[in-house]
Amino acid sequence: MRTLVLRLNPLVLLSFGFASLAGSFFVRDLTTAVVAAGAYAVAGVLFLPTWRYPLACLALCGISAGLIGFSAWRLGNGDHAPVAALRILVLAWPGAVVVGFVDPSRLGDHVAQRLHAPGRPVAAFVASLQRVSGLATAWQQLARARRVRGEGPTRNPVVAARYVGSMTFAMLADALRGASRMSVAMDARGFATTTHRTWAEPALWARADTVGLALAVALGAVAPVTLLLT
């Protein structure tokens, strides 16, 4: 059951984020906020394959939630501060988690074939996402190569700042070279002039996708139902 999220197609994964966004508008009291946030936490325990990444997302979203709660408290509405903080968690945390499991290539297949979006913008969007996802790998490779040459960072803040600056410049040069190679490859395949595009992989809809979509809708409905009942 904890591998369900790995078998869902990208559109279903994104539906969790949209459902949590819609449900967050109904988080208006502490009971609704706690129940909605707790529902997503329970779903994460049951269906996510790991908790390291979701906890990292929770920490980042928690910073925003804490700032919103502190702002509400400073503005004199202390009773609403916890509600405002939990509303941000309900809004942002589920979407931040599921985005990490979205494969750009599969997302492009499903957007083009399921939603019938134009092929050229979809292909360009997927290519840009793949470039962004490769930035972390490129940074690790550059850092490893520099450590081998004895040019790794030190505790000296000046040296560390120079190291970050040189790494950033190297990443920029690598990104420009990669973009040039990709543009040449896309032009060679008729990307600029084609009017009809085929896709290598079919965008299939499995039974697990139906279950995942129903779960996304149910989790998004927790907040309005709780608000109605209370």
Side-chain angles (χ1 to χ4, degrees):
M1 192 162 58
R2 297 189 65 182
T3 62
L4 175 65
V5 69
L6 301 177
R7 294 183 280 120
L8 298 178
N9 76 59
L11 295 180
V12 175
L13 289 175
L14 294 180
S15 70
F16 283 89
F18 289 115
S20 67
L21 172 62
S24 65
F25 289 101
F26 297 91
V27 178
R28 300 174 184 175
D29 56 59
L30 187 58
T31 300
T32 304
V34 171
V35 172
Y40 279 105
V42 171
V45 172
L46 294 177
F47 298 109
L48 291 178
T50 177
W51 261 95
R52 180 175 298 178
Y53 173 71
L55 286 177
C57 293
L58 179 62
L60 294 176
C61 294
I63 295 175
S64 300
L67 292 175
I68 294 296
F70 177 75
S71 299
W73 175 73
R74 287 289 295 171
L75 291 173
N77 196 350
D79 295 336
H80 187 68
V83 179
L86 287 174
R87 181 187 295 122
I88 296 300
L89 288 183
V90 173
L91 184 154
W93 184 42
V97 171
V98 297
V99 164
F101 296 97
V102 173
D103 178 68
S105 297
R106 291 188 65 205
L107 177 61
D109 290 336
H110 283 270
V111 169
Q113 299 178 56
R114 288 282 170 185
L115 302 182
H116 303 289
R120 287 181 60 186
V122 170
F125 179 66
V126 170
S128 63
L129 285 181
Q130 289 174 337
R131 292 296 302 164
V132 170
S133 62
L135 290 178
T137 302
W139 181 280
Q140 293 173 357
Q141 292 174 346
L142 287 171
R144 191 178 300 114
R146 296 198 172 199
R147 282 198 300 268
V148 170
R149 295 196 300 264
E151 301 176 359
T154 64
R155 295 184 178 180
N156 188 322
V158 177
V159 176
R162 290 176 180 174
Y163 173 80
V164 173
S166 63
M167 285 287 290
T168 303
F169 181 79
M171 287 289 295
L172 177 61
D174 180 75
L176 292 175
R177 285 195 299 267
S180 177
R181 289 194 299 266
M182 182 174 292
S183 63
V184 171
M186 297 176 96
D187 284 341
R189 290 165 173 80
F191 178 81
T193 58
T194 184
T195 57
H196 179 71
R197 181 166 300 278
T198 59
W199 304 93
E201 298 292 337
L204 302 177
W205 187 277
R207 183 179 300 177
D209 297 323
T210 303
V211 174
L213 184 60
L215 179 62
V217 173
L219 289 172
V222 168
V225 170
T226 305
L227 181 64
L228 182 64
L229 294 177
T230 57

